[in-house]
């Protein structure tokens, strides 16, 4: 056992004395040491129930003959961090989580791991760590929040942010806004639409690292506790068979995840996280090939914010396995991939049934024949940009309009709420990329303000930052290269015409090459916004969005 390094032999007597100090018995030290990575905290609604999940995992591990030992991972609530300095610290936590989990797991020589994440960067950070550490590992998340109800209709966090814009435009009253505030987020759990947290928890199932139901069983259902116990027991089976993350998270598994991503209509943030996870297994993930997968993958789900259904509905309809079974009718998945169930993808989904064709469209009757995400290229984004095509209204799939240029999110919000943005405009928010932000803030406030003020079908937004999974509309993010490194988005001037053609995968600035070169020669790099602390170190090491905003050694 790996833990023999710290539990066996006379030389390890000092180590055992410290385990004695923890209260561990000789019998417990004879068993495999299973690290349970707990993301529990009291500031993230999706994490406030993880103490119960962790306790259930501990029971499962102990029942199956292991010794469970808990250690923590941090997590940020993107909703609470939204729209202020705190959002600079959201994406950057992904790497803190991966690095600190790697350090804890290897320093203490755990034999196996159970990862207990839930929200946003916590899930991909722990998937990255699992690939690095490569001991038998299983994931069990905290589960999604139930949808809220306002005036008889289901709602989610995107509805809440859009209500703020609607109130600013005089479309709803202060009393209505208060009702949204009090009813939109009714339980613990990751926010109830197909936002980043739920996208990544669903894709964890597809990657093979979580049991069926990991992404969809609501946080408040007792089935979630049972799933956690099963995960604790299953990790011991993985240990006995020596099935490790890199046996599961192969290139084929990543391609499966990208395929199901297209069918579910996941958050654009998945196009940051899948490349980062792929990087950890040595896979060269070019975001371009997402278009090839999208071309042949039908979009089967319109979960909030793209449509009126929620995670609880997807769960009742059969969950992720049901979506995968639909896709498998067209042979779109690699079914021979191993998973944490100890079975292949094909074995896992062979009995899955689509119980609600209104929630999961049959593959013969999709929302669209192409996937939910698209990568756009052109002279404005030579290295690519990402849009959630499934959340764009038909009249905005092709759009042409004048650029309204802002060098930070706050200035754009002021202009939108001040009535300075009108139908036809293309809002450009730059210097918000991984380096320029630094931290690549999400632009949920401006997209929600646009939608809430009734401009969602007539105004586009383009940024080198990123979007919350709760954003909808013609919201094009991850523009690469970013403005801070002199990408073309830095050269856009007020009033320039921008042409968006999502069906043809293009994003074009209607300015001649000669004029762009003239502007490029005159462009000067900005002084860094942050010069001390973690953000400064992050900015010095991070790559562009098209590479997943991974960290590299400077100069390499």
């Amino acid at each position: 056992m790996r833990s023999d390094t710290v539990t066996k032999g006379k030389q390890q007597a000092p180590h055992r004395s410290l385990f004695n100090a923890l209260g561990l018995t000789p019998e417990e030290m004879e068993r495999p040491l299973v690290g349970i990575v707990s993301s529990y905290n009291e500031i993230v609604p999706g994490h406030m129930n993880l103490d119960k999940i962790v306790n259930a995992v501990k029971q499962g591990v102990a029942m199956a003959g292991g010794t469970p030992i808990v250690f923590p991972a941090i997590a940020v609530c993107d909703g609470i961090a939204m729209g202020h300095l705190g959002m600079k610290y959201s994406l950057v936590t992904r790497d803190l989580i991966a690095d600190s989990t790697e350090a804890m797991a290897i320093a203490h020589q755990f034999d196996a791991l159970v990862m207990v994440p839930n929200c946003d960067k916590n899930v991909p950070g722990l998937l990255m760590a699992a690939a690095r550490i490569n001991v038998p590992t299983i994931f069990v998340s905290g589960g999604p929040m139930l949808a809220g109800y306002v005036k008889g209709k289901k709602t989610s966090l995107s509805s809440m942010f859009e209500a703020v814009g609607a109130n600013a435009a005089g479309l709803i009253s202060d009393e209505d806004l208060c009702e949204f505030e009090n009813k939109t987020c009714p339980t613990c759990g990751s926010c109830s639409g197909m936002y980043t947290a739920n996208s990544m928890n669903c894709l964890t199932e597809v990657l093979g690292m979580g049991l069926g139901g990991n992404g969809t069983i609501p946080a408040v259902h007792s089935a979630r506790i049972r799933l956690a116990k099963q995960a604790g027991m299953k990790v011991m089976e993985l240990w006995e068979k020596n099935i490790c993350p890199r046996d599961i998270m192969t290139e084929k598994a990543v391609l499966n995840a990208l395929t199901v991503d297209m069918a579910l209509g996941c958050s654009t943030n998945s196009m940051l996280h899948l490349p980062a996870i792929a990087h950890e297994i040595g896979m060269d993930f070019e975001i371009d090939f997402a278009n090839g997968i999208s071309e042949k993958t039908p979009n089967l789900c319109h979960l909030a914010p793209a449509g009126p259904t929620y995670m609880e509905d997807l769960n009742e309809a059969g969950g992720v396995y049901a979506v995968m079974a639909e896709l498998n009718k067209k042979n779109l998945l690699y079914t021979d991939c191993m998973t944490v169930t100890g079975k292949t993808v094909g074995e896992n989904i062979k009995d899955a049934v689509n119980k609600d064709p209104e929630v999961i469209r049959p593959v013969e009757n999709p929302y669209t024949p192409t996937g939910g995400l698209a990568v756009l290229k052109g002279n404005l984004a030579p290295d690519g940009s990402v849009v959630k095509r499934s959340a764009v209204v038909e009249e905005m799939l092709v759009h042409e309009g004048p650029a309204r240029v802002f060098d930070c999110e706050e200035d754009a919000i002021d202009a939108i709420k001040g009535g300075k943005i009108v139908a036809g405009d293309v809002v450009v928010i730059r210097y918000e990329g991984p380096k320029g932000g630094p931290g690549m803030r999400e632009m949920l406030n401006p997209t929600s303000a646009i939608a809430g003020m009734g401009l969602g079908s007539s105004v586009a937004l383009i940024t080198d930052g990123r979007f919350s999974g709760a954003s909808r509309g013609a919201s094009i993010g991850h523009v690469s290269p970013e403005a801070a490194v002199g990408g073309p988005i830095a050269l856009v001037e007020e009033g320039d015409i921008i042409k968006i053609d999502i069906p043809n995968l293009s994003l074009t600035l209607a300015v001649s090459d000669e004029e762009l070169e003239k502007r490029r020669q005159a462009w000067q790099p900005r002084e860094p916004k942050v010069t001390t602390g973690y953000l400064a170190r992050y900015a010095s090491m991070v790559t562009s969005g098209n590479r997943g905003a991974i960290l590299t050694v400077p100069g390499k």
Side-chain angles (χ1 to χ4, degrees):
M1 292 191 300
R2 185 187 182 107
S3 60
D4 288 352
T5 308
V6 291
T7 59
K8 299 290 193 299
K10 291 183 179 180
Q11 283 296 114
Q12 280 65 46
H15 304 72
R16 287 193 298 276
S17 72
L18 294 168
F19 281 117
N20 289 335
L22 290 170
L24 265 64
T25 65
E27 292 82 1
E28 287 174 302
M29 283 184 261
E30 285 293 324
R31 298 174 179 175
L33 301 185
V34 181
I36 302 174
V37 185
S38 171
S39 304
Y40 169 77
N41 65 43
E42 295 183 342
I43 189 60
V44 183
H47 289 230
M48 63 182 285
N49 65 320
L50 295 190
D51 55 341
K52 296 175 178 60
I53 303 296
V54 166
N55 284 336
V57 170
K58 289 175 69 175
Q59 291 178 51
V61 169
M63 284 191 290
T67 298
I69 302 175
V70 179
F71 66 88
I74 65 168
V76 162
C77 176
D78 277 20
I80 294 174
M82 194 70 65
H84 56 86
L85 178 65
M87 181 45 69
K88 293 180 184 290
Y89 285 88
S90 170
L91 178 60
V92 305
T93 63
R94 185 186 71 184
D95 296 276
L96 282 175
I97 291 161
D99 292 350
S100 60
T101 302
E102 173 193 353
M104 287 292 288
I106 294 176
H108 301 103
Q109 293 291 287
F110 287 107
D111 296 297
L113 296 168
V114 183
M115 306 293 197
V116 187
N118 208 27
C119 289
D120 296 292
K121 313 313 159 301
N122 197 245
V123 184
L126 290 179
L127 285 166
M128 291 161 66
R132 289 183 200 171
I133 301 160
N134 203 39
V135 299
T137 301
I138 194 169
F139 278 64
V140 56
S141 76
M145 183 184 292
L146 294 180
Y149 278 89
V150 176
K151 301 188 186 305
K153 293 183 178 181
K154 286 186 177 182
T155 62
S156 61
L157 187 65
S158 53
S159 310
M160 180 70 252
F161 275 89
E162 289 177 16
V164 174
N167 178 257
L171 301 176
I172 66 171
S173 67
D174 289 352
E175 291 75 16
D176 289 336
L177 182 62
C178 185
E179 185 176 3
F180 271 98
E181 182 179 333
N182 287 312
K183 295 182 177 179
T184 294
C185 298
T187 72
C188 63
S190 48
C191 296
S192 57
M194 187 52 79
Y195 309 146
T196 305
N198 293 326
S199 295
M200 292 310 301
N201 282 322
C202 287
L203 296 184
T204 296
E205 277 189 58
V206 184
L207 284 167
M209 292 299 294
L211 299 175
N214 178 72
T216 59
I217 297 172
V220 295
H221 284 197
S222 296
R224 177 63 57 179
I225 299 296
R226 296 197 298 272
L227 186 75
K229 291 177 182 176
Q230 290 162 355
M233 291 185 282
K234 185 62 70 172
V235 79
M236 296 309 301
E237 182 181 318
L238 295 172
W239 175 77
E240 289 165 3
K241 296 179 178 178
N242 195 33
I243 298 174
C244 296
R246 286 184 215 161
D247 301 320
I248 295 170
M249 288 193 286
T250 61
E251 290 194 18
K252 286 182 178 180
V254 172
L255 294 175
N256 279 347
L258 191 52
T259 299
V260 178
D261 188 333
M262 296 298 174
L264 285 172
C266 289
S267 164
T268 52
N269 281 312
S270 64
M271 293 300 290
L272 283 175
H273 302 320
L274 286 177
I277 294 163
H279 177 73
E280 297 293 345
I281 65 167
M283 177 183 176
D284 186 14
F285 188 112
E286 291 288 339
I287 64 170
D288 291 37
F289 64 62
N291 287 334
I293 289 178
S294 179
E295 189 65 28
K296 61 184 180 181
T297 306
N299 178 228
L300 306 181
C301 299
H302 268 191
L303 295 147
T309 53
Y310 296 80
M311 294 306 296
E312 62 203 62
D313 302 314
L314 178 60
N315 187 62
E316 293 301 317
V320 175
Y321 280 6
V323 176
M324 294 174 74
E326 288 289 349
L327 293 173
N328 200 40
K329 293 177 183 177
K330 293 186 69 175
N331 298 315
L332 293 173
L333 298 175
Y334 295 100
T335 57
D336 58 341
C337 295
M338 178 52 62
T339 73
V340 291
T341 65
K343 300 176 181 179
T344 65
V345 166
E347 291 172 314
N348 286 343
I349 67 174
K350 66 181 177 66
D351 296 322
V353 176
N354 181 357
K355 301 175 184 177
D356 191 340
E358 295 300 313
V359 176
I360 304 171
R361 288 278 186 95
V363 74
E364 303 83 6
N365 180 37
Y367 282 102
T368 58
T370 54
L373 297 180
V375 174
L376 312 183
K377 279 193 168 184
N379 68 344
L380 187 52
D383 292 338
S385 61
V386 182
V387 63
K388 189 171 183 175
R389 173 164 46 189
S390 60
V392 180
V393 294
E394 187 173 355
E395 54 265 41
M396 288 298 290
L397 290 171
V398 177
H399 180 76
E400 181 176 324
R404 305 298 308 280
V405 183
F406 304 94
D407 286 351
C408 67
E409 177 190 8
E410 289 82 358
D411 290 350
I413 292 171
D414 289 344
I416 295 165
K417 291 186 175 179
K420 296 177 182 177
I421 303 301
V422 300
D425 284 349
V426 178
V427 176
V428 176
I429 306 177
R430 61 192 181 188
Y431 294 99
E432 289 286 7
K435 284 185 181 293
M440 204 177 186
R441 289 194 288 179
E442 290 183 342
M443 301 292 151
L444 180 56
N445 273 350
T447 57
S448 298
I450 287 169
M453 297 180 77
L455 296 171
S457 60
S458 59
V459 169
L461 194 153
I462 296 172
T463 181
D464 54 5
R466 60 194 179 93
F467 295 107
S468 164
S471 292
R472 61 186 176 98
S475 303
I476 301 167
H478 309 192
V479 171
S480 300
E482 62 174 291
V485 297
I489 192 171
L491 311 178
V492 181
E493 294 183 358
E494 188 80 7
D496 284 347
I497 298 300
I498 292 176
K499 298 179 179 181
I500 300 165
D501 189 340
I502 295 173
N504 288 306
L505 309 173
S506 70
L507 181 62
T508 306
L509 180 63
V511 173
S512 69
D513 292 345
E514 293 77 15
E515 175 61 20
L516 279 180
E517 182 57 31
K518 180 180 175 183
R519 294 180 188 180
R520 187 174 287 109
Q521 294 300 322
W523 178 80
Q524 293 293 324
R526 302 288 181 92
E527 288 295 321
K529 294 178 184 176
V530 180
T531 57
T532 60
Y534 176 55
L535 284 180
R537 294 197 303 277
Y538 180 88
S540 73
M541 299 172 70
V542 70
T543 64
S544 285
N546 68 300
R547 294 183 59 194
I550 60 172
L551 299 186
T552 59
V553 177
K556 291 189 177 180

